[in-house]
Amino acid sequence: MEIKDLRIFQKVAEFGSISKAAKSLNYVQSYVTVRIRQLEEELQTELFHRSSRGMVINSEGKKLLFYAQKIISMVDEMLKVVQDSDNPVGTLEIGTVETLYKLPLILSAYHKKYPNIDLSLVSGVTEDLVEDILSYKLDGAFVTGNFNHPQIAQYEVFEEELVLISNKEEVPFEELKNKPLLVFKQGCSYRSKLEGWVRDEGRINAKIMEFGTWETILGSVIAGLGITIIPKSTVSLLEADGVVRIYHIPEKYSKITTVFIRRADSFLTNTMQKFIETIKDVSHQEKKVES
C-alpha cells in the first residue's frame, strides 16, 4: 500500500466517482480504477458500493477513510516541516464563514509579504468548518464564536456587532419578528443568534428560509422577502445608501467574535505562523482605526 493509493481512495470517497477523482488528481480513469481494485485486493474487502450512479463508501471503507485521513495529514505535515524556511512556500487551505467582511485585508497583507504561498479558500458555516479542521481537511478556518475544545487552538480576529436588517420600507420594530428569517443552513452562528432573538421575543414557530450564499440572502432582504442578521460593518454602506434598514438588538444576540482556528496538535509551520502573525497585525491596525 502506497500513500498515493490512500490519496486516490480519499478522493473517490469524497466525490463518489472514479471520473471526478481522476480529474481532481490528474490521472486517467483506468489508473484510478486499477489502484482502487488493488487496494481492495490487498485489504481483502470491498470499500465501496458500486452502481450506475457512482460509488458510495461502505462501512469497511469508512474505517479505512478514518485512518487514511490521519496518515495523509501526517505525511503532508511532514513535508511542510521538512520544506519549511523563513521564506515559506507551499499552500494553505483556509475555510471561512461567508460574511467575514475584513477577510480581503488579511489575505492581501499576507500575499504581499509571502507571494510564494498559494491560498485556497473554502466557505461554509461555522459548525462544518470546525468539523473540517478536526478531520484534517483544512489547515485553518475563520469562524464565529469561542471554542473550549482540547483539539482546537484559536486566535481572536475581530469582535463585531450583529444587527437586524430588513428592506428599505419603514416597518415598526415589533413587526419584524413576524417576518420570515432568511438564513444559512443549520450550524451557522448568525442563524442561531437570530432564532434565539425571535424565540425570546415570543415567536415559537418562525418561518425559516435557507439560502446557500450571502448574496442571495441580501438580495432577498432587499426585495422584501424577510429579515436576517449580519455584522453591521458588512451593510453599513447599504444603510447609508438607503437600500436596507438596520435595527439594533440586545447585546445577548448582537455581540459576535470571529476567531481563527486550527488543530492544536498540528505542527505550527512557518507558513501558518506567518499567517497568524498577519491576522494579529491587521486586527491591531483595524482596532486603531476604529478607536
Side-chain angles (χ1 to χ4, degrees), residues 147-166:
F147 298 88
N148 183 20
H149 194 293
Q151 293 178 312
I152 288 181
Q154 65 176 346
Y155 310 84
E156 185 173 329
V157 184
F158 302 111
E159 187 174 273
E160 297 188 279
E161 178 191 3
L162 293 177
V163 292
L164 199 68
I165 65 168
S166 68

mmCIF file with all atom_site columns, all heavy atoms in Angstrom, residues 147-166:
data_model
loop_
_atom_site.group_PDB
_atom_site.id
_atom_site.type_symbol
_atom_site.label_atom_id
_atom_site.label_alt_id
_atom_site.label_comp_id
_atom_site.label_asym_id
_atom_site.label_entity_id
_atom_site.label_seq_id
_atom_site.pdbx_PDB_ins_code
_atom_site.Cartn_x
_atom_site.Cartn_y
_atom_site.Cartn_z
_atom_site.occupancy
_atom_site.B_iso_or_equiv
_atom_site.pdbx_formal_charge
_atom_site.auth_seq_id
_atom_site.auth_comp_id
_atom_site.auth_asym_id
_atom_site.auth_atom_id
_atom_site.pdbx_PDB_model_num
ATOM 1   N N   . PHE A 1 147 ? -14.293 28.757 21.338 1.00 0.00 ? 147 PHE A N   1
ATOM 2   C CA  . PHE A 1 147 ? -14.316 27.304 21.449 1.00 0.00 ? 147 PHE A CA  1
ATOM 3   C C   . PHE A 1 147 ? -13.461 26.829 22.622 1.00 0.00 ? 147 PHE A C   1
ATOM 4   O O   . PHE A 1 147 ? -12.305 27.223 22.762 1.00 0.00 ? 147 PHE A O   1
ATOM 5   C CB  . PHE A 1 147 ? -13.821 26.673 20.152 1.00 0.00 ? 147 PHE A CB  1
ATOM 6   C CG  . PHE A 1 147 ? -14.676 27.011 18.967 1.00 0.00 ? 147 PHE A CG  1
ATOM 7   C CD1 . PHE A 1 147 ? -14.424 28.153 18.219 1.00 0.00 ? 147 PHE A CD1 1
ATOM 8   C CD2 . PHE A 1 147 ? -15.760 26.237 18.630 1.00 0.00 ? 147 PHE A CD2 1
ATOM 9   C CE1 . PHE A 1 147 ? -15.218 28.496 17.151 1.00 0.00 ? 147 PHE A CE1 1
ATOM 10  C CE2 . PHE A 1 147 ? -16.571 26.559 17.558 1.00 0.00 ? 147 PHE A CE2 1
ATOM 11  C CZ  . PHE A 1 147 ? -16.299 27.698 16.817 1.00 0.00 ? 147 PHE A CZ  1
ATOM 12  N N   . ASN A 1 148 ? -14.065 25.988 23.409 1.00 0.00 ? 148 ASN A N   1
ATOM 13  C CA  . ASN A 1 148 ? -13.343 25.352 24.502 1.00 0.00 ? 148 ASN A CA  1
ATOM 14  C C   . ASN A 1 148 ? -13.204 23.878 24.155 1.00 0.00 ? 148 ASN A C   1
ATOM 15  O O   . ASN A 1 148 ? -13.913 23.021 24.663 1.00 0.00 ? 148 ASN A O   1
ATOM 16  C CB  . ASN A 1 148 ? -14.101 25.541 25.820 1.00 0.00 ? 148 ASN A CB  1
ATOM 17  C CG  . ASN A 1 148 ? -13.349 24.966 27.004 1.00 0.00 ? 148 ASN A CG  1
ATOM 18  O OD1 . ASN A 1 148 ? -12.132 24.762 26.943 1.00 0.00 ? 148 ASN A OD1 1
ATOM 19  N ND2 . ASN A 1 148 ? -14.058 24.673 28.077 1.00 0.00 ? 148 ASN A ND2 1
ATOM 20  N N   . HIS A 1 149 ? -12.301 23.603 23.232 1.00 0.00 ? 149 HIS A N   1
ATOM 21  C CA  . HIS A 1 149 ? -12.126 22.253 22.703 1.00 0.00 ? 149 HIS A CA  1
ATOM 22  C C   . HIS A 1 149 ? -10.650 21.887 22.803 1.00 0.00 ? 149 HIS A C   1
ATOM 23  O O   . HIS A 1 149 ? -9.788  22.649 22.358 1.00 0.00 ? 149 HIS A O   1
ATOM 24  C CB  . HIS A 1 149 ? -12.589 22.198 21.246 1.00 0.00 ? 149 HIS A CB  1
ATOM 25  C CG  . HIS A 1 149 ? -12.760 20.804 20.709 1.00 0.00 ? 149 HIS A CG  1
ATOM 26  N ND1 . HIS A 1 149 ? -11.698 19.947 20.527 1.00 0.00 ? 149 HIS A ND1 1
ATOM 27  C CD2 . HIS A 1 149 ? -13.865 20.121 20.328 1.00 0.00 ? 149 HIS A CD2 1
ATOM 28  C CE1 . HIS A 1 149 ? -12.136 18.800 20.036 1.00 0.00 ? 149 HIS A CE1 1
ATOM 29  N NE2 . HIS A 1 149 ? -13.448 18.877 19.914 1.00 0.00 ? 149 HIS A NE2 1
ATOM 30  N N   . PRO A 1 150 ? -10.332 20.745 23.382 1.00 0.00 ? 150 PRO A N   1
ATOM 31  C CA  . PRO A 1 150 ? -8.918  20.386 23.589 1.00 0.00 ? 150 PRO A CA  1
ATOM 32  C C   . PRO A 1 150 ? -8.116  20.239 22.306 1.00 0.00 ? 150 PRO A C   1
ATOM 33  O O   . PRO A 1 150 ? -6.877  20.335 22.338 1.00 0.00 ? 150 PRO A O   1
ATOM 34  C CB  . PRO A 1 150 ? -9.004  19.048 24.332 1.00 0.00 ? 150 PRO A CB  1
ATOM 35  C CG  . PRO A 1 150 ? -10.357 18.498 23.998 1.00 0.00 ? 150 PRO A CG  1
ATOM 36  C CD  . PRO A 1 150 ? -11.239 19.697 23.873 1.00 0.00 ? 150 PRO A CD  1
ATOM 37  N N   . GLN A 1 151 ? -8.780  20.022 21.167 1.00 0.00 ? 151 GLN A N   1
ATOM 38  C CA  . GLN A 1 151 ? -8.061  19.817 19.912 1.00 0.00 ? 151 GLN A CA  1
ATOM 39  C C   . GLN A 1 151 ? -8.026  21.062 19.032 1.00 0.00 ? 151 GLN A C   1
ATOM 40  O O   . GLN A 1 151 ? -7.543  21.011 17.907 1.00 0.00 ? 151 GLN A O   1
ATOM 41  C CB  . GLN A 1 151 ? -8.693  18.655 19.138 1.00 0.00 ? 151 GLN A CB  1
ATOM 42  C CG  . GLN A 1 151 ? -8.510  17.306 19.824 1.00 0.00 ? 151 GLN A CG  1
ATOM 43  C CD  . GLN A 1 151 ? -9.192  16.186 19.057 1.00 0.00 ? 151 GLN A CD  1
ATOM 44  O OE1 . GLN A 1 151 ? -10.347 16.292 18.659 1.00 0.00 ? 151 GLN A OE1 1
ATOM 45  N NE2 . GLN A 1 151 ? -8.465  15.108 18.847 1.00 0.00 ? 151 GLN A NE2 1
ATOM 46  N N   . ILE A 1 152 ? -8.532  22.184 19.559 1.00 0.00 ? 152 ILE A N   1
ATOM 47  C CA  . ILE A 1 152 ? -8.589  23.410 18.769 1.00 0.00 ? 152 ILE A CA  1
ATOM 48  C C   . ILE A 1 152 ? -7.827  24.537 19.441 1.00 0.00 ? 152 ILE A C   1
ATOM 49  O O   . ILE A 1 152 ? -8.015  24.804 20.626 1.00 0.00 ? 152 ILE A O   1
ATOM 50  C CB  . ILE A 1 152 ? -10.051 23.836 18.536 1.00 0.00 ? 152 ILE A CB  1
ATOM 51  C CG1 . ILE A 1 152 ? -10.717 22.888 17.538 1.00 0.00 ? 152 ILE A CG1 1
ATOM 52  C CG2 . ILE A 1 152 ? -10.131 25.271 18.021 1.00 0.00 ? 152 ILE A CG2 1
ATOM 53  C CD1 . ILE A 1 152 ? -12.151 23.240 17.234 1.00 0.00 ? 152 ILE A CD1 1
ATOM 54  N N   . ALA A 1 153 ? -6.952  25.175 18.665 1.00 0.00 ? 153 ALA A N   1
ATOM 55  C CA  . ALA A 1 153 ? -6.284  26.406 19.103 1.00 0.00 ? 153 ALA A CA  1
ATOM 56  C C   . ALA A 1 153 ? -6.968  27.559 18.386 1.00 0.00 ? 153 ALA A C   1
ATOM 57  O O   . ALA A 1 153 ? -7.286  27.457 17.191 1.00 0.00 ? 153 ALA A O   1
ATOM 58  C CB  . ALA A 1 153 ? -4.805  26.369 18.743 1.00 0.00 ? 153 ALA A CB  1
ATOM 59  N N   . GLN A 1 154 ? -7.242  28.656 19.098 1.00 0.00 ? 154 GLN A N   1
ATOM 60  C CA  . GLN A 1 154 ? -7.962  29.767 18.483 1.00 0.00 ? 154 GLN A CA  1
ATOM 61  C C   . GLN A 1 154 ? -7.258  31.096 18.734 1.00 0.00 ? 154 GLN A C   1
ATOM 62  O O   . GLN A 1 154 ? -6.559  31.277 19.731 1.00 0.00 ? 154 GLN A O   1
ATOM 63  C CB  . GLN A 1 154 ? -9.394  29.828 19.005 1.00 0.00 ? 154 GLN A CB  1
ATOM 64  C CG  . GLN A 1 154 ? -9.513  30.140 20.482 1.00 0.00 ? 154 GLN A CG  1
ATOM 65  C CD  . GLN A 1 154 ? -10.978 30.268 20.905 1.00 0.00 ? 154 GLN A CD  1
ATOM 66  O OE1 . GLN A 1 154 ? -11.883 30.374 20.094 1.00 0.00 ? 154 GLN A OE1 1
ATOM 67  N NE2 . GLN A 1 154 ? -11.206 30.268 22.198 1.00 0.00 ? 154 GLN A NE2 1
ATOM 68  N N   . TYR A 1 155 ? -7.474  32.022 17.784 1.00 0.00 ? 155 TYR A N   1
ATOM 69  C CA  . TYR A 1 155 ? -6.854  33.341 17.836 1.00 0.00 ? 155 TYR A CA  1
ATOM 70  C C   . TYR A 1 155 ? -7.935  34.355 17.476 1.00 0.00 ? 155 TYR A C   1
ATOM 71  O O   . TYR A 1 155 ? -8.555  34.253 16.403 1.00 0.00 ? 155 TYR A O   1
ATOM 72  C CB  . TYR A 1 155 ? -5.697  33.437 16.832 1.00 0.00 ? 155 TYR A CB  1
ATOM 73  C CG  . TYR A 1 155 ? -4.723  32.282 16.929 1.00 0.00 ? 155 TYR A CG  1
ATOM 74  C CD1 . TYR A 1 155 ? -4.976  31.077 16.268 1.00 0.00 ? 155 TYR A CD1 1
ATOM 75  C CD2 . TYR A 1 155 ? -3.567  32.375 17.701 1.00 0.00 ? 155 TYR A CD2 1
ATOM 76  C CE1 . TYR A 1 155 ? -4.105  30.009 16.365 1.00 0.00 ? 155 TYR A CE1 1
ATOM 77  C CE2 . TYR A 1 155 ? -2.681  31.304 17.795 1.00 0.00 ? 155 TYR A CE2 1
ATOM 78  C CZ  . TYR A 1 155 ? -2.963  30.123 17.130 1.00 0.00 ? 155 TYR A CZ  1
ATOM 79  O OH  . TYR A 1 155 ? -2.097  29.061 17.225 1.00 0.00 ? 155 TYR A OH  1
ATOM 80  N N   . GLU A 1 156 ? -8.163  35.311 18.355 1.00 0.00 ? 156 GLU A N   1
ATOM 81  C CA  . GLU A 1 156 ? -9.231  36.286 18.104 1.00 0.00 ? 156 GLU A CA  1
ATOM 82  C C   . GLU A 1 156 ? -8.869  37.171 16.926 1.00 0.00 ? 156 GLU A C   1
ATOM 83  O O   . GLU A 1 156 ? -7.738  37.631 16.782 1.00 0.00 ? 156 GLU A O   1
ATOM 84  C CB  . GLU A 1 156 ? -9.481  37.143 19.341 1.00 0.00 ? 156 GLU A CB  1
ATOM 85  C CG  . GLU A 1 156 ? -10.664 38.096 19.172 1.00 0.00 ? 156 GLU A CG  1
ATOM 86  C CD  . GLU A 1 156 ? -11.035 38.831 20.442 1.00 0.00 ? 156 GLU A CD  1
ATOM 87  O OE1 . GLU A 1 156 ? -10.840 38.255 21.537 1.00 0.00 ? 156 GLU A OE1 1
ATOM 88  O OE2 . GLU A 1 156 ? -11.514 39.968 20.338 1.00 0.00 ? 156 GLU A OE2 1
ATOM 89  N N   . VAL A 1 157 ? -9.854  37.404 16.071 1.00 0.00 ? 157 VAL A N   1
ATOM 90  C CA  . VAL A 1 157 ? -9.649  38.241 14.884 1.00 0.00 ? 157 VAL A CA  1
ATOM 91  C C   . VAL A 1 157 ? -10.360 39.578 15.063 1.00 0.00 ? 157 VAL A C   1
ATOM 92  O O   . VAL A 1 157 ? -9.733  40.623 15.124 1.00 0.00 ? 157 VAL A O   1
ATOM 93  C CB  . VAL A 1 157 ? -10.174 37.530 13.614 1.00 0.00 ? 157 VAL A CB  1
ATOM 94  C CG1 . VAL A 1 157 ? -9.861  38.375 12.371 1.00 0.00 ? 157 VAL A CG1 1
ATOM 95  C CG2 . VAL A 1 157 ? -9.561  36.138 13.478 1.00 0.00 ? 157 VAL A CG2 1
ATOM 96  N N   . PHE A 1 158 ? -11.681 39.547 15.144 1.00 0.00 ? 158 PHE A N   1
ATOM 97  C CA  . PHE A 1 158 ? -12.465 40.755 15.316 1.00 0.00 ? 158 PHE A CA  1
ATOM 98  C C   . PHE A 1 158 ? -13.637 40.480 16.249 1.00 0.00 ? 158 PHE A C   1
ATOM 99  O O   . PHE A 1 158 ? -14.123 39.358 16.325 1.00 0.00 ? 158 PHE A O   1
ATOM 100 C CB  . PHE A 1 158 ? -13.049 41.263 13.985 1.00 0.00 ? 158 PHE A CB  1
ATOM 101 C CG  . PHE A 1 158 ? -12.033 41.550 12.924 1.00 0.00 ? 158 PHE A CG  1
ATOM 102 C CD1 . PHE A 1 158 ? -11.953 40.762 11.789 1.00 0.00 ? 158 PHE A CD1 1
ATOM 103 C CD2 . PHE A 1 158 ? -11.157 42.613 13.055 1.00 0.00 ? 158 PHE A CD2 1
ATOM 104 C CE1 . PHE A 1 158 ? -11.027 41.017 10.798 1.00 0.00 ? 158 PHE A CE1 1
ATOM 105 C CE2 . PHE A 1 158 ? -10.218 42.890 12.074 1.00 0.00 ? 158 PHE A CE2 1
ATOM 106 C CZ  . PHE A 1 158 ? -10.154 42.086 10.944 1.00 0.00 ? 158 PHE A CZ  1
ATOM 107 N N   . GLU A 1 159 ? -14.068 41.527 16.923 1.00 0.00 ? 159 GLU A N   1
ATOM 108 C CA  . GLU A 1 159 ? -15.321 41.481 17.660 1.00 0.00 ? 159 GLU A CA  1
ATOM 109 C C   . GLU A 1 159 ? -16.255 42.476 16.992 1.00 0.00 ? 159 GLU A C   1
ATOM 110 O O   . GLU A 1 159 ? -15.881 43.631 16.783 1.00 0.00 ? 159 GLU A O   1
ATOM 111 C CB  . GLU A 1 159 ? -15.130 41.833 19.139 1.00 0.00 ? 159 GLU A CB  1
ATOM 112 C CG  . GLU A 1 159 ? -16.391 41.632 19.974 1.00 0.00 ? 159 GLU A CG  1
ATOM 113 C CD  . GLU A 1 159 ? -16.148 41.841 21.457 1.00 0.00 ? 159 GLU A CD  1
ATOM 114 O OE1 . GLU A 1 159 ? -15.751 40.877 22.125 1.00 0.00 ? 159 GLU A OE1 1
ATOM 115 O OE2 . GLU A 1 159 ? -16.362 42.966 21.928 1.00 0.00 ? 159 GLU A OE2 1
ATOM 116 N N   . GLU A 1 160 ? -17.433 42.016 16.619 1.00 0.00 ? 160 GLU A N   1
ATOM 117 C CA  . GLU A 1 160 ? -18.337 42.866 15.858 1.00 0.00 ? 160 GLU A CA  1
ATOM 118 C C   . GLU A 1 160 ? -19.734 42.894 16.462 1.00 0.00 ? 160 GLU A C   1
ATOM 119 O O   . GLU A 1 160 ? -20.073 42.064 17.306 1.00 0.00 ? 160 GLU A O   1
ATOM 120 C CB  . GLU A 1 160 ? -18.432 42.367 14.405 1.00 0.00 ? 160 GLU A CB  1
ATOM 121 C CG  . GLU A 1 160 ? -17.107 42.434 13.656 1.00 0.00 ? 160 GLU A CG  1
ATOM 122 C CD  . GLU A 1 160 ? -17.295 42.116 12.193 1.00 0.00 ? 160 GLU A CD  1
ATOM 123 O OE1 . GLU A 1 160 ? -17.366 40.917 11.857 1.00 0.00 ? 160 GLU A OE1 1
ATOM 124 O OE2 . GLU A 1 160 ? -17.357 43.060 11.384 1.00 0.00 ? 160 GLU A OE2 1
ATOM 125 N N   . GLU A 1 161 ? -20.527 43.852 15.958 1.00 0.00 ? 161 GLU A N   1
ATOM 126 C CA  . GLU A 1 161 ? -21.920 43.956 16.364 1.00 0.00 ? 161 GLU A CA  1
ATOM 127 C C   . GLU A 1 161 ? -22.808 43.406 15.257 1.00 0.00 ? 161 GLU A C   1
ATOM 128 O O   . GLU A 1 161 ? -22.720 43.823 14.098 1.00 0.00 ? 161 GLU A O   1
ATOM 129 C CB  . GLU A 1 161 ? -22.306 45.415 16.623 1.00 0.00 ? 161 GLU A CB  1
ATOM 130 C CG  . GLU A 1 161 ? -23.779 45.582 16.998 1.00 0.00 ? 161 GLU A CG  1
ATOM 131 C CD  . GLU A 1 161 ? -24.234 47.026 16.999 1.00 0.00 ? 161 GLU A CD  1
ATOM 132 O OE1 . GLU A 1 161 ? -23.435 47.915 16.655 1.00 0.00 ? 161 GLU A OE1 1
ATOM 133 O OE2 . GLU A 1 161 ? -25.422 47.264 17.336 1.00 0.00 ? 161 GLU A OE2 1
ATOM 134 N N   . LEU A 1 162 ? -23.657 42.467 15.598 1.00 0.00 ? 162 LEU A N   1
ATOM 135 C CA  . LEU A 1 162 ? -24.648 41.972 14.658 1.00 0.00 ? 162 LEU A CA  1
ATOM 136 C C   . LEU A 1 162 ? -25.879 42.868 14.718 1.00 0.00 ? 162 LEU A C   1
ATOM 137 O O   . LEU A 1 162 ? -26.282 43.311 15.793 1.00 0.00 ? 162 LEU A O   1
ATOM 138 C CB  . LEU A 1 162 ? -25.061 40.541 15.010 1.00 0.00 ? 162 LEU A CB  1
ATOM 139 C CG  . LEU A 1 162 ? -24.008 39.449 14.845 1.00 0.00 ? 162 LEU A CG  1
ATOM 140 C CD1 . LEU A 1 162 ? -24.577 38.112 15.309 1.00 0.00 ? 162 LEU A CD1 1
ATOM 141 C CD2 . LEU A 1 162 ? -23.541 39.349 13.412 1.00 0.00 ? 162 LEU A CD2 1
ATOM 142 N N   . VAL A 1 163 ? -26.445 43.135 13.562 1.00 0.00 ? 163 VAL A N   1
ATOM 143 C CA  . VAL A 1 163 ? -27.660 43.943 13.503 1.00 0.00 ? 163 VAL A CA  1
ATOM 144 C C   . VAL A 1 163 ? -28.706 43.205 12.686 1.00 0.00 ? 163 VAL A C   1
ATOM 145 O O   . VAL A 1 163 ? -28.393 42.353 11.849 1.00 0.00 ? 163 VAL A O   1
ATOM 146 C CB  . VAL A 1 163 ? -27.405 45.335 12.879 1.00 0.00 ? 163 VAL A CB  1
ATOM 147 C CG1 . VAL A 1 163 ? -26.540 46.180 13.791 1.00 0.00 ? 163 VAL A CG1 1
ATOM 148 C CG2 . VAL A 1 163 ? -26.776 45.198 11.489 1.00 0.00 ? 163 VAL A CG2 1
ATOM 149 N N   . LEU A 1 164 ? -29.942 43.544 12.952 1.00 0.00 ? 164 LEU A N   1
ATOM 150 C CA  . LEU A 1 164 ? -31.065 43.008 12.193 1.00 0.00 ? 164 LEU A CA  1
ATOM 151 C C   . LEU A 1 164 ? -31.270 43.912 10.990 1.00 0.00 ? 164 LEU A C   1
ATOM 152 O O   . LEU A 1 164 ? -31.185 45.136 11.107 1.00 0.00 ? 164 LEU A O   1
ATOM 153 C CB  . LEU A 1 164 ? -32.313 43.030 13.078 1.00 0.00 ? 164 LEU A CB  1
ATOM 154 C CG  . LEU A 1 164 ? -33.489 42.148 12.697 1.00 0.00 ? 164 LEU A CG  1
ATOM 155 C CD1 . LEU A 1 164 ? -33.115 40.682 12.861 1.00 0.00 ? 164 LEU A CD1 1
ATOM 156 C CD2 . LEU A 1 164 ? -34.678 42.488 13.600 1.00 0.00 ? 164 LEU A CD2 1
ATOM 157 N N   . ILE A 1 165 ? -31.493 43.333 9.809  1.00 0.00 ? 165 ILE A N   1
ATOM 158 C CA  . ILE A 1 165 ? -31.738 44.178 8.643  1.00 0.00 ? 165 ILE A CA  1
ATOM 159 C C   . ILE A 1 165 ? -33.015 43.737 7.923  1.00 0.00 ? 165 ILE A C   1
ATOM 160 O O   . ILE A 1 165 ? -33.366 42.559 7.896  1.00 0.00 ? 165 ILE A O   1
ATOM 161 C CB  . ILE A 1 165 ? -30.563 44.188 7.646  1.00 0.00 ? 165 ILE A CB  1
ATOM 162 C CG1 . ILE A 1 165 ? -30.341 42.796 7.025  1.00 0.00 ? 165 ILE A CG1 1
ATOM 163 C CG2 . ILE A 1 165 ? -29.297 44.692 8.304  1.00 0.00 ? 165 ILE A CG2 1
ATOM 164 C CD1 . ILE A 1 165 ? -29.384 42.813 5.833  1.00 0.00 ? 165 ILE A CD1 1
ATOM 165 N N   . SER A 1 166 ? -33.688 44.730 7.349  1.00 0.00 ? 166 SER A N   1
ATOM 166 C CA  . SER A 1 166 ? -34.861 44.485 6.505  1.00 0.00 ? 166 SER A CA  1
ATOM 167 C C   . SER A 1 166 ? -34.718 45.378 5.277  1.00 0.00 ? 166 SER A C   1
ATOM 168 O O   . SER A 1 166 ? -33.741 46.122 5.146  1.00 0.00 ? 166 SER A O   1
ATOM 169 C CB  . SER A 1 166 ? -36.145 44.801 7.269  1.00 0.00 ? 166 SER A CB  1
ATOM 170 O OG  . SER A 1 166 ? -36.240 46.191 7.520  1.00 0.00 ? 166 SER A OG  1
#
